[in-house]
Amino acid sequence: MPRDFRQQARDRLSVLTPTSGDGATAARRVEQDASLVGRLLAAAGEQNHHGREPGVIPDDVGAALGLFEDIREQLDRLETQVVIEARRRGMEWREIAAHQGLNSSQAASQRYQRLMTRLEEIRQGVR
């Protein structure tokens, strides 16, 4: 999806009234974790740029790295929920594919299946 379409999507969704629920909670968790990673990188960049004493230590970087698996899982869960909602509202796979930047309905369907498989493996403790 080109950059201007992404901004249009952000603008469109920003006017929706916030609600609570599983999706909102997962999205908030992703937002908070991504913000923490951003703060780490900003602090590290500031430290490198100004040659300050190390405020960011290897344990901090390790903690940030530890957040990514949970962020990925939550993003997968959110994407799955949005695809389910799209199908529930009558969107065809080719429409979903176009919004995801994919070339075919088959690619969108396969992506959804991979997400579902990954989430099921996580649920079962395989991953």
Side-chain angles (χ1 to χ4, degrees):
M1 184 180 280
R3 189 178 214 53
D4 57 329
F5 288 125
R6 289 188 182 117
Q7 187 56 49
Q8 288 175 356
R10 287 182 187 99
D11 294 343
R12 180 181 190 94
L13 296 175
S14 68
V15 300
L16 295 176
T17 305
T19 61
S20 60
D22 292 342
T25 303
R28 223 178 275 93
R29 200 170 315 127
V30 169
E31 181 180 26
Q32 290 168 346
D33 288 351
S35 177
L36 291 172
V37 171
R39 287 170 54 187
L40 167 93
L41 292 174
E46 188 71 20
Q47 167 185 319
N48 292 338
H49 182 61
H50 294 293
R52 294 185 181 156
E53 282 295 313
V56 175
I57 61 173
D59 285 346
D60 298 333
V61 176
L65 288 169
L67 294 176
F68 282 98
E69 191 57 33
D70 190 49
I71 291 170
R72 279 188 197 93
E73 180 183 342
Q74 293 305 321
L75 285 173
D76 288 350
R77 193 173 309 287
L78 288 168
E79 183 175 353
T80 301
Q81 290 172 338
V82 173
V83 170
I84 290 168
E85 187 62 26
R87 294 293 291 156
R88 193 168 75 86
R89 295 190 179 260
M91 287 180 72
E92 299 291 331
W93 282 110
R94 77 182 147 66
E95 293 173 284
I96 294 169
H99 287 287
Q100 290 179 314
L102 301 172
N103 293 325
S104 69
S105 57
Q106 182 181 9
S109 177
Q110 288 173 343
R111 178 175 174 154
Y112 171 74
Q113 289 302 319
R114 281 191 303 273
L115 288 170
M116 290 297 290
T117 298
R118 183 177 188 282
L119 290 170
E120 182 60 23
E121 287 173 352
I122 289 168
R123 190 186 71 74
Q124 292 179 0
V126 175
R127 281 190 181 220

